[in-house]
């Protein structure tokens, strides 16, 4: 509960800072970039060497790909039935399947499951979300973006040079050699900046202004991302006899709101900008209500 209150405090600070002239309009971008290039890699470098690879690790590695397949199928079906335009369909295909599994995931998993859940979160985020975003996301940008082009070399380079991915690869290479105490302390202290930075940035970016024309695809996209996908992941895990922390973290991560970076790329690619921004912004707000409910479902069906 204390961690959840701390999250609320920093989100509130972000809302406050947005109204203060001392903070530039692009402050949230600066917060996010520092978290992406410094805080999150530090956390990954700290936690990855502690991973013990078992068959349980397959669960958080495979669930996001199942969520991707389900999301794509339902988006294409809905787009055909509702006769949505290509820009709207492209936004839904790009933004809905990939979640905010690191920036939003870390503080929420920390709040509800404690530090024990972080290693499984890292597997879900790096082997699921990041690989999905780098490969599948590039294809969607090429097919639905106004100026996109599919370049496999570029996709591979982007995946390998992404700071959290590089941190994971380095952490795996360093597993046989424990960190000196001073190094571990520095990594721990730097990683502690992740939650304040990310939650403050989320509060800074919150916007409730919406146009009526985006309400139908917006409602569908958020319902799919925040409700249908995690419930489907929960049912699938339990039907396959998957229980315990790895399965619970996988289900919880499946319910994270749409990725902000994916929304930004959709806008840059000339897709439906207002829908992309609304999916990311309103999704972050609604997740504060849906994630506690999802956690409750996990406790009811252990």
């Amino acid at each position: 509960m204390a961690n959840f209150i701390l999250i609320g405090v920093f989100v509130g600070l972000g809302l406050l800072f947005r109204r203060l002239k001392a903070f530039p309009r692009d402050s949230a971008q600066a917060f996010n970039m520092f978290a992406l290039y410094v805080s999150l890699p530090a956390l990954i470098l700290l936690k990855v060497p502690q991973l013990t690879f078992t068959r349980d690790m397959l669960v958080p590695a495979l669930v996001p790909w199942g969520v991707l397949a389900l999301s794509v199928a339902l988006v294409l079906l809905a787009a055909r039935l509702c006769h949505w335009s290509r820009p709207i369909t492209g936004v839904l295909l790009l933004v809905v399947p990939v979640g905010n599994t690191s920036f939003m995931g870390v503080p929420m998993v920390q709040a509800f499951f404690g530090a024990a859940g972080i290693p499984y979160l890292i597997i879900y985020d790096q082997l699921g979300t990041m690989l999905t975003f780098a490969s599948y996301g590039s294809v969607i940008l090429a097919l639905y973006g106004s100026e996109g082009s599919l370049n496999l070399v570029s996709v591979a380079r982007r995946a390998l040079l992404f700071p959290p991915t590089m941190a994971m690869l380095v952490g795996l290479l360093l597993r046989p050699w424990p960190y000196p105490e001073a190094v571990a302390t520095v990594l721990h202290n730097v990683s502690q900046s992740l939650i304040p930075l990310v939650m403050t940035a989320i509060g800074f970016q919150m916007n409730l202004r919406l146009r009526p024309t985006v309400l139908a695809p917006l409602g569908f996209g958020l319902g799919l991302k925040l409700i249908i996908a995690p419930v489907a992941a929960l049912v699938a895990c339990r039907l396959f006899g998957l229980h315990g922390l790895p399965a619970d973290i996988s289900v919880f991560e499946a319910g994270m709101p749409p990725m902000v970076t994916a929304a930004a790329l959709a806008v840059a690619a000339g897709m439906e900008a207002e829908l992309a921004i609304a999916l990311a912004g309103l999704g972050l707000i609604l997740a504060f209500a849906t994630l506690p409910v999802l956690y409750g479902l996990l406790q009811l069906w252990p």
Side-chain angles (χ1 to χ4, degrees):
M1 180 58 71
N3 287 332
F4 197 70
I5 293 173
L6 189 65
I7 288 172
V9 168
F10 284 112
V11 171
L13 286 175
L15 290 168
L16 173 63
F17 293 162
R18 184 176 178 174
R19 297 177 177 271
L20 299 179
K21 293 182 179 180
F23 287 85
R25 294 183 63 182
D26 59 353
S27 294
Q29 179 71 2
F31 295 153
N32 283 329
M33 286 300 99
F34 188 91
L36 178 65
Y37 280 84
V38 181
S39 306
L40 183 57
L43 177 66
I44 293 173
L45 281 171
L46 184 66
K47 295 296 183 179
V48 165
Q50 302 172 15
L51 291 176
T52 301
F53 289 98
T54 64
R55 288 199 302 176
D56 289 341
M57 288 295 184
L58 291 175
V59 180
L62 295 177
V63 166
W65 293 92
V67 169
L68 170 66
L70 174 66
S71 300
V72 170
L74 292 180
V75 166
L76 291 176
L77 177 62
R80 184 172 182 178
L81 293 175
C82 298
H83 305 289
W84 286 330
S85 65
R86 280 185 64 82
I88 287 178
T89 303
V91 167
L92 293 173
L93 285 172
L94 179 65
V95 179
V96 171
V98 290
N100 224 330
T101 53
S102 55
F103 283 3
M104 188 74 169
V106 171
M108 290 310 233
V109 167
Q110 186 85 32
F112 285 98
F113 297 92
I118 298 298
Y120 301 108
L121 176 150
I122 291 174
I123 295 296
Y124 190 106
D125 181 64
Q126 294 299 302
L127 299 185
T129 301
M130 289 300 106
L131 283 181
T132 296
F133 187 52
S135 54
Y136 163 82
S138 297
V139 173
I140 296 302
L141 285 170
L143 294 177
Y144 290 86
S146 58
E147 298 179 359
S149 59
L150 184 58
N151 187 319
L152 295 180
V153 174
S154 176
V155 170
R157 184 186 302 115
R158 185 185 310 158
L160 290 174
L161 297 182
F162 193 60
T165 304
M166 293 178 65
M168 182 173 184
L169 294 175
V170 171
L172 289 173
L173 291 174
L174 294 178
R175 287 185 76 237
W177 301 282
Y179 294 138
E181 185 176 349
V183 173
T185 300
V186 169
L187 290 174
H188 172 76
N189 290 338
V190 173
S191 69
Q192 293 299 296
S193 64
L194 179 64
I195 293 177
L197 284 168
V198 171
M199 291 297 104
T200 302
I202 287 173
F204 202 95
Q205 295 173 100
M206 283 186 176
N207 190 351
L208 296 177
R209 296 180 181 178
L210 301 172
R211 274 193 314 160
T213 53
V214 304
L215 290 180
L218 174 63
F220 170 80
L222 291 178
L224 174 55
K225 187 71 193 78
L226 299 176
I227 300 173
I228 296 175
V231 170
L234 173 59
V235 171
C237 284
R238 296 305 186 253
L239 289 180
F240 282 100
L242 301 173
H243 303 270
L245 194 57
D248 287 355
I249 295 299
S250 300
V251 172
F252 199 68
E253 284 282 86
M256 290 296 155
M259 182 191 285
V260 175
T261 305
L265 286 179
V267 174
M271 300 182 195
E272 177 55 59
E274 189 165 5
L275 175 60
I277 294 169
L279 281 168
L282 189 58
L284 288 171
I285 298 172
L286 292 178
F288 284 102
T290 59
L291 288 173
V293 173
L294 180 58
Y295 178 77
L297 287 176
L298 289 168
Q299 305 311 302
L300 290 174
W301 194 0

